[in-house]
Amino acid sequence: MGRRSRERLYKAIALLLLLPGILWVLMPTVWMFSAAFSRLEQIMRWPPDLWPDPWVFSNFYEGFAFLPFGRYFMNSTQIAVIRVMGQVLAASMAGYAFARMQAPGKNLLFILVLSTLMLPYTVTMIPQYIIFQRLGWIDTYLPLIIPHFDGGAFFIFLFRQFFRSIPDELTEAARLDGCSYFGIYWRMMLPLSLPVIAASSILIFQNSWQELLQPLIFLHDNGKYTIPLGLARFRSSYGSSPWHLIMAVSIGAALPPVVLFFIGQRFLLSGIVVSDK
Amino acid sequence: MVLTRRRFLKSSAVAATGLALAACVPAEPSVDMPAGTGGDAAMTEITYLIRSDIGVKIQEWTDEAIADFATVEPNITIETIGVPWGDYNAKLLAQYAAGDPPEISANYAAGFPTFYANDAIVALDELVSENNVDLSVIEQAALDAVTRNGKLWALPLAHLPTIVYYNLDALEEAGATIPPIDWADTSWTTDAMLESANAAAQDMDDPTKAQYGMIFGNGQLGVFEWLWGADPFNDVGGPEHTEAYKTGIVTESFYDSETMNNFIGWVYDAIYGSSPVSPRPSDTDAIQQLVGWPMMSGRIGMAINGAWSVTNFAAVEPSWRWGVGAFPYGPAGVNTSPLFNDSWMLGKGAKEQDAGFRFLQYLAVEKGAELYAKITGFFPAHKENYPIYFDSLMNIPNFALSREEAETALLDAFNYGYVTPGKTLDSYPEWNRTFNQTMGPIWNAEVSVADGLAQVQAQFESVIESKS
Amino acid sequence: MSGMAAVGAGGAERPRLSLRWREAINFYLFLAPWILGFLAFTAIPIVASLFLGFTKYNAISPPDFVGLKNFRFLYNDQVFWKSLRVTLTYTVVFVPLQLVSSLLLAMLLNLRVPSMRTIRTIYYLPSILPTVVTGLVWIWLFNADFGLINFFLYKAFEIRGPNWLGSERWVMSAVIISGLWALGGGVIIFLAALQNVPGEFYEAAELDGANILHRFWHVTVPMISPVILYNLMIAMILSLQVFTRIYVLTQGGPNYASYFYNLYVYDNAFSYLKLGLASAQAWILFVLILLLTVLALRTSGRWVHYSGGV
């Protein structure tokens, strides 16, 4: 069998594996979509009656009009975009330092960075709230953004791993030419790391978009709410939650990260042809 | 592909501009900041922390009440913070720890005993007399529920008995007995209810089609066993013998008692016995979490729940007729209805105690209470607002009772009621968690009732011991 | 930023002797955002929580120092040991499963096939829907009587499925299965890593007659081993702290069979107002994760291959 046809066979097998997987992945969302287009009374039936009858398209309008979701969208977007930029920059810088430089205390510092992931947030939340309160940051977006400008251990570690995968020879020459550390980081490392920049941007955006507890604790004013806080206001522990509206809004709210991922793939999958330089 | 430096820089520049722009645009004009405005110096701002997961009607009420309050007390502004119950304490405790607790905390008294025990709220007696607040308009039992050591620690807005709901169409079609409105009717017993449920139950072997006879609550710690003369925390009988309901502190438990076995065995048989009438708890739990109260599916003949559940009928507007009735008399010859109250508290250490109390007063005995009775659909603690409540109750579609009948069914319940442990025990969330976790094997039919209750008892003993 | 660049660039002119110093200074400059952020927002809360671990604290009144009482309490607390056992069991089973399935999925999604962009997006979908909502959907799916999963088992294999969420024996499987649904993050990172494997390596391996499995073991795995290590450690750290998904799905039941460590920490802190106890508990987990992390890093030298760096 020739190389071409073997490649084609692999791809066919891969597709055969992926397609049933799609059913598995979509299965739980079927109910969400069905509910988003049903009347509340139909959702209340059990076993669930998955085919909406009648189809209700106004759930989307009604859901988004129920609370000022337009504003929540702006709020969430603003926080997420700023956070992505600051965090990617800081994380890649720190990751570069850990991957490519030698300094006293480096290993200990690296463990310290990782250790920030190991303590449940439940017990550091209140001390952190006190700090933000002393700074006058409560009920502003600053607590949701500025602390992430440290890069965050997840992403520092991620960039470190990627930067360590880049062969030394590439940077050695630049260094001998007198290129500064910052020059190497900015002109070589970052451009060579487009996939990981894309991956971390997607993930940071997603984290920020979905974060519920922190905005809930640090924001007071309804007008400053983010999407997940808005969604949480629909829920009712005692009465009947308006699930038709919750699902409609949940689906609408998932669109920005989906679009970001759809576009971001191009960068995520951009293999860099090093030898062309 | 080759990424050119210029292309990369260009995208970063765009990004950086975005950053600068976004950072410069204020999120919200700071009109509500008291310091910066330099306006009326006498303005007082209070913080009002309220559970946001009680339903959309509560939000409607909050908005209306605050708008109206602004006309009554233009010098007090209210910052409302809505938080769902799951994170309510996280938010509240952060505010306490930072020395800035909210003036008013409204969590429907789910946290009242805990807050009282942790010294988080202030006694209201002095403020009540200073402001000449007439508390006689509030149902005494509701006030009693938030009185500790002779002092009043919260103001109740709602006072809710537990009642029987029924699907009139389903019961009539099956020729089953309809729950009476008369709480003194001793012929309405748990056995009579079971019989009625049996008549109404159909297709019980197919959960996708079954029409269930009843749901006899299974998710609450220590309330329905009262009908059997059992109580988790005393070995004599009903709740009036339990010291823990008065002190808040649990020192002993009796989950393996004979009466408790009788009660749990009865509910268990209704689910798993030879002629079952109730859905499996894993099904009702799933429905409860996902869509809300299972009763609303139209496939339940009767269900026991708190009086707040009428709001479900208002929200869902079912196409079948429904009604409410009295609790059945149990083997112990009593029909004790567990009583709930929704009470608002004044935070200890909050800066604006007087303004906070002023708002509390507005909500509990002034126009705020009236709006509460009208909008929320919760049974008011303010007695003069009863007519408003019944007006709105009678407006719910397909309600089968006359106004007089509804008044009897609901109001008489208080004469047969006792406050639920959720409003009296200090560490109620901990006891409730212990109960829910350890009852799992019984409700899922993985152990016998006797073995299961022995395990429940063992776990309660171990928690009691760990607390001493 | 600009100051940092200036120092870095200016340093190039300096004599060779200070090279090591220059490197160290640069290191700390590059790390400055993290160090500043850590000192300002993270260090104090961490130290505070350690202190609180030795106190009785309800966040309302000032903390009371109680020595080792919280730790002694936990030592004697059955629920604490159960939650630790549940969490470790889950981690041991879930992490390898998640790692392997993420890598395989990433390799499949990495192929250039028509409409792959859409397929990738579909596979990413579960990660972006709100956990609170998807958790509830899983409650539906796992329902014993009318859930889709048992319906399928019955129709396809005539098997009467278990009461997934109601049974002490099955609840852990349900938690793991629903966890394998949203693989998003790990897959995205593997996808990025796979771009670092130069195509020539595969071509060379193929010329040597290596089949697809050989290529996987001898080219792909070594080349992306730094990221495998990353995903392994992150998966471990996260699964030892799993919270929201379980909270929605099972609330820890039945009979504590899915009462994960962090559920108990959260309950102690915010339901029971025992923040001192919760802090002690959190620090025990901290030490445990720290030990496992150091162990993983120490042993990683044997199988992780770095192309560059120091």
Side-chain angles (χ1 to χ4, degrees):
Chain A
M1 198 163 29
R3 201 181 131 206
R4 269 286 156 74
S5 54
R6 200 146 12 125
E7 279 303 315
R8 226 178 267 157
L9 181 71
Y10 289 154
K11 285 184 179 175
I13 293 173
L15 271 181
L16 276 178
L17 288 172
L18 281 173
L19 291 177
I22 287 181
L23 288 181
W24 160 250
V25 168
L26 287 183
M27 179 176 63
T29 58
V30 168
W31 186 78
M32 289 184 64
F33 276 93
S34 151
F37 291 102
S38 297
R39 285 181 305 130
L40 182 60
E41 190 269 334
Q42 177 174 348
I43 305 171
M44 290 302 206
R45 287 180 212 152
W46 52 278
D49 198 350
L50 285 178
W51 190 256
D53 177 30
W55 284 76
V56 186
F57 294 93
S58 60
N59 288 346
F60 285 84
Y61 169 76
E62 230 187 285
F64 279 94
F66 180 75
L67 291 169
F69 271 105
R71 184 193 256 179
Y72 297 168
F73 251 95
M74 292 304 295
N75 297 345
S76 279
T77 309
Q78 188 181 342
I79 295 168
V81 169
I82 300 177
R83 208 183 121 176
V84 166
M85 291 185 299
Q87 202 173 346
V88 168
L89 190 68
S92 59
M93 282 169 59
Y96 175 60
F98 279 123
R100 294 281 170 165
M101 295 180 209
Q102 218 34 293
K106 177 175 128 168
N107 288 335
L108 203 66
L109 264 171
F110 185 61
I111 295 292
L112 192 63
V113 168
L114 289 184
S115 72
T116 59
L117 298 176
M118 300 172 191
L119 201 58
Y121 187 61
T122 305
V123 298
T124 48
M125 189 195 88
I126 285 187
Q128 217 176 42
Y129 184 95
I130 297 175
I131 293 176
F132 294 139
Q133 199 226 25
R134 299 284 182 270
L135 292 170
W137 286 11
I138 295 300
D139 206 19
T140 73
Y141 293 143
L142 298 175
L144 309 178
I145 297 170
I146 304 299
H148 295 291
F149 283 2
D150 71 352
F154 280 120
F155 298 101
I156 292 176
F157 185 22
L158 182 65
F159 274 102
R160 170 193 185 258
Q161 296 304 85
F162 271 87
F163 288 148
R164 285 191 70 177
S165 314
I166 294 174
D168 278 332
E169 303 86 68
L170 282 177
T171 50
E172 207 49 41
R175 206 144 65 141
L176 291 176
D177 284 352
C179 201
S180 68
Y181 282 103
F182 186 78
I184 293 172
Y185 158 76
W186 191 252
R187 285 177 213 152
M188 299 195 68
M189 289 311 220
L190 283 187
L192 284 172
S193 307
L194 214 49
V196 62
I197 291 174
S200 44
S201 303
I202 290 170
L203 293 176
I204 292 168
F205 188 90
Q206 178 197 326
N207 288 352
S208 173
W209 196 258
Q210 293 185 321
E211 176 65 48
L212 176 66
L213 185 63
Q214 289 201 348
L216 191 95
I217 300 300
F218 298 132
L219 297 176
H220 289 345
D221 179 6
N222 291 347
K224 296 191 182 116
Y225 273 14
T226 58
I227 297 263
L229 288 186
L231 272 170
R233 289 183 72 190
F234 274 117
R235 293 290 304 281
S236 168
S237 305
Y238 291 96
S240 307
S241 303
W243 283 107
H244 52 318
L245 307 183
I246 294 178
M247 292 307 167
V249 174
S250 295
I251 289 167
L255 276 179
V258 169
V259 171
L260 181 73
F261 179 79
F262 194 79
I263 298 168
Q265 282 182 61
R266 229 183 89 213
F267 302 97
L268 182 64
L269 280 93
S270 54
I272 301 209
V273 184
V274 176
S275 46
D276 277 9
K277 263 217 129 154
Chain B
M1 75 165 242
V2 180
L3 177 92
T4 62
R5 192 181 142 217
R6 201 190 317 148
R7 198 158 133 213
F8 188 80
L9 284 178
K10 215 168 98 186
S11 58
S12 327
V14 171
T17 317
L19 176 87
L21 276 178
C24 296
V25 177
E28 177 86 345
S30 52
V31 282
D32 52 6
M33 297 303 283
T37 49
D40 192 347
M43 286 297 273
T44 309
E45 190 187 63
I46 62 170
T47 308
Y48 175 39
L49 187 68
I50 181 166
R51 266 178 79 173
S52 62
D53 60 335
I54 302 292
V56 293
K57 290 285 174 194
I58 287 291
Q59 273 166 45
E60 199 182 317
W61 166 71
T62 308
D63 294 343
E64 275 201 37
I66 286 175
D68 181 65
F69 183 69
T71 64
V72 182
E73 292 287 350
N75 290 331
I76 303 178
T77 55
I78 292 160
E79 180 173 53
T80 312
I81 309 174
V83 184
W85 180 233
D87 300 303
Y88 188 91
N89 280 356
K91 177 102 183 182
L92 184 75
L93 294 183
Q95 291 178 301
Y96 267 103
D100 192 21
E103 274 74 14
I104 306 296
S105 174
N107 55 30
Y108 299 83
F112 168 71
T114 310
F115 293 171
Y116 169 73
N118 283 281
D119 203 16
I121 49 180
V122 293
L124 302 172
D125 305 76
E126 273 176 34
L127 287 160
V128 166
S129 55
E130 271 172 31
N131 291 280
N132 296 318
V133 183
D134 176 18
L135 289 182
S136 67
V137 295
I138 293 181
E139 166 67 41
Q140 188 57 41
L143 289 170
D144 289 346
V146 286
T147 301
R148 292 279 189 289
N149 280 330
K151 285 185 176 156
L152 183 70
W153 296 90
L155 288 185
L157 267 73
H159 187 47
L160 306 144
T162 306
I163 48 180
V164 177
Y165 296 81
Y166 57 89
N167 179 332
L168 182 61
D169 287 353
L171 294 188
E172 268 185 4
E173 198 180 313
T177 312
I178 313 292
I181 49 161
D182 183 3
W183 284 76
D185 181 352
T186 49
S187 72
W188 178 239
T189 62
T190 46
D191 284 341
M193 186 174 173
L194 186 61
E195 203 175 299
S196 172
N198 254 307
Q202 280 165 33
D203 297 320
M204 288 297 295
D205 48 349
D206 181 357
T208 61
K209 282 209 295 261
Q211 186 71 37
Y212 297 101
M214 67 172 186
I215 298 178
F216 201 95
N218 50 34
Q220 284 178 44
L221 174 151
V223 288
F224 302 121
E225 51 264 57
W226 293 342
L227 308 186
W228 273 256
D231 188 276
F233 308 117
N234 80 65
D235 56 353
V236 186
E240 59 280 5
H241 302 290
T242 295
E243 200 55 29
Y245 297 151
K246 293 170 190 111
T247 62
I249 296 163
V250 172
T251 53
E252 48 184 359
S253 75
F254 300 92
Y255 267 103
D256 49 359
S257 73
E258 199 190 327
T259 45
M260 188 65 85
N261 267 281
N262 292 343
F263 160 63
I264 300 288
W266 188 85
V267 179
Y268 181 91
D269 280 345
I271 304 165
Y272 296 107
S274 51
S275 65
V277 297
S278 299
R280 306 214 307 209
S282 56
D283 291 354
T284 45
D285 286 354
I287 296 160
Q288 180 73 47
Q289 271 181 297
L290 208 48
V291 294
W293 193 32
M295 180 78 193
M296 300 321 295
S297 66
R299 292 175 47 197
I300 314 284
M302 293 169 282
I304 284 182
N305 222 349
W308 59 82
S309 287
V310 295
T311 60
N312 286 278
F313 293 94
V316 181
E317 304 196 349
S319 53
W320 35 273
R321 289 176 304 148
W322 60 283
V324 296
F327 239 48
Y329 282 81
V334 292
N335 60 348
T336 315
S337 167
L339 301 182
F340 296 80
N341 71 87
D342 294 347
S343 298
W344 271 232
M345 297 168 270
L346 186 58
K348 188 171 182 177
K351 292 187 183 72
E352 304 293 345
Q353 295 284 323
D354 289 332
F357 184 78
R358 180 70 197 89
F359 184 52
L360 192 57
Q361 180 188 352
Y362 170 82
L363 293 180
V365 297
E366 295 175 17
K367 183 81 180 289
E370 208 179 302
L371 293 168
Y372 197 73
K374 190 163 111 192
I375 299 171
T376 65
F378 293 148
F379 196 85
H382 191 301
K383 287 181 281 191
E384 287 164 16
N385 293 329
Y386 288 172
I388 301 174
Y389 172 81
F390 285 107
D391 283 347
S392 64
L393 177 62
M394 296 315 292
N395 279 334
I396 302 176
N398 285 317
F399 184 45
L401 299 188
S402 71
R403 191 184 173 109
E404 290 68 33
E405 287 169 329
E407 284 176 8
T408 309
L410 281 160
L411 288 173
D412 283 6
F414 294 116
N415 303 328
Y416 298 81
Y418 200 91
V419 179
T420 93
K423 311 285 179 179
T424 52
L425 297 183
D426 267 13
S427 313
Y428 178 71
E430 205 170 348
W431 300 119
N432 193 38
R433 163 61 44 93
T434 308
F435 174 76
N436 283 333
Q437 288 285 351
T438 50
M439 286 301 285
I442 298 181
W443 295 138
N444 291 302
E446 297 203 309
V447 293
S448 71
V449 170
D451 291 350
L453 282 176
Q455 284 174 31
V456 176
Q457 173 65 11
Q459 187 62 35
F460 266 81
E461 280 172 8
S462 130
V463 176
I464 290 169
E465 198 195 314
S466 74
K467 283 176 167 292
S468 61
Chain C
M1 262 319 303
S2 55
M4 201 172 299
V7 172
E13 306 295 323
R14 288 181 194 169
R16 294 194 61 136
L17 251 185
S18 65
L19 263 182
R20 282 180 60 190
W21 271 106
R22 205 154 60 85
E23 191 172 353
I25 290 170
N26 266 286
F27 173 84
Y28 281 97
L29 283 173
F30 271 84
L31 212 57
W34 184 80
I35 294 174
L36 289 177
F38 176 77
L39 291 176
F41 306 114
T42 319
I44 298 170
I46 288 180
V47 174
S49 74
L50 179 60
F51 163 74
L52 290 174
F54 297 93
T55 66
K56 184 174 191 281
Y57 182 51
N58 63 5
I60 295 162
S61 319
D64 259 343
F65 190 78
V66 293
L68 290 172
K69 200 175 155 210
N70 291 329
F71 295 92
R72 269 203 302 274
F73 176 89
L74 291 169
Y75 183 79
N76 292 317
D77 180 14
Q78 294 168 25
V79 176
F80 168 77
W81 288 108
K82 177 116 184 202
S83 72
L84 186 61
R85 206 160 54 232
V86 163
T87 309
L88 288 175
T89 311
Y90 169 78
T91 304
V92 167
V93 179
F94 182 71
V95 169
L97 278 176
Q98 188 193 34
L99 197 65
V100 170
S101 37
S102 301
L103 179 54
L104 291 180
L105 184 57
M107 292 185 63
L108 292 176
L109 293 177
N110 192 33
L111 290 171
R112 297 335 196 239
V113 184
S115 67
M116 190 54 103
R117 276 163 73 98
T118 311
I119 296 178
R120 281 187 208 113
T121 309
I122 290 174
Y123 272 95
Y124 177 57
L125 203 60
S127 309
I128 17 178
L129 296 169
T131 316
V132 181
V133 170
T134 56
L136 289 165
V137 175
W138 278 103
I139 294 178
W140 257 146
L141 295 172
F142 279 126
N143 182 275
D145 288 330
F146 41 80
L148 223 52
I149 291 176
N150 280 2
F151 176 79
F152 175 77
L153 287 176
Y154 189 71
K155 288 283 162 188
F157 309 107
E158 296 249 322
I159 297 172
R160 283 245 173 253
N163 184 357
W164 293 91
L165 300 177
S167 154
E168 285 180 70
R169 216 168 324 141
W170 286 96
V171 69
M172 185 61 85
S173 316
V175 167
I176 289 170
I177 290 170
S178 65
L180 288 175
W181 179 60
L183 292 171
V187 175
I188 289 175
I189 288 165
F190 273 134
L191 267 174
L194 288 172
Q195 312 314 315
N196 274 8
V197 188
E200 306 94 87
F201 282 36
Y202 286 124
E203 283 157 28
E206 201 169 2
L207 286 178
D208 291 347
N211 67 20
I212 190 162
L213 273 178
H214 275 99
R215 280 195 282 168
F216 175 70
W217 271 121
H218 299 292
V219 180
T220 313
V221 169
M223 284 301 288
I224 64 165
S225 56
V227 174
I228 296 180
L229 172 71
Y230 173 84
N231 269 341
L232 172 73
M233 288 179 51
I234 296 301
M236 184 191 77
I237 290 173
L238 289 183
S239 64
L240 287 169
Q241 297 186 62
V242 61
F243 177 77
T244 312
R245 197 161 59 80
I246 315 296
Y247 192 82
V248 178
L249 194 62
T250 71
Q251 283 143 334
N255 205 11
Y256 305 100
S258 63
Y259 200 47
F260 282 75
Y261 201 93
N262 255 6
L263 262 65
Y264 198 22
V265 175
Y266 192 88
D267 272 342
N268 270 328
F270 297 131
S271 303
Y272 310 157
L273 274 60
K274 297 178 188 170
L275 280 101
L277 185 63
S279 300
Q281 225 175 338
W283 269 86
I284 294 172
L285 184 67
F286 176 87
V287 171
L288 180 75
I289 299 179
L290 186 65
L291 290 176
L292 289 172
T293 303
V294 171
L295 189 76
L297 282 178
R298 281 275 154 82
T299 53
S300 68
R302 285 185 219 147
W303 59 275
V304 175
H305 166 81
Y306 291 107
S307 305
V310 283

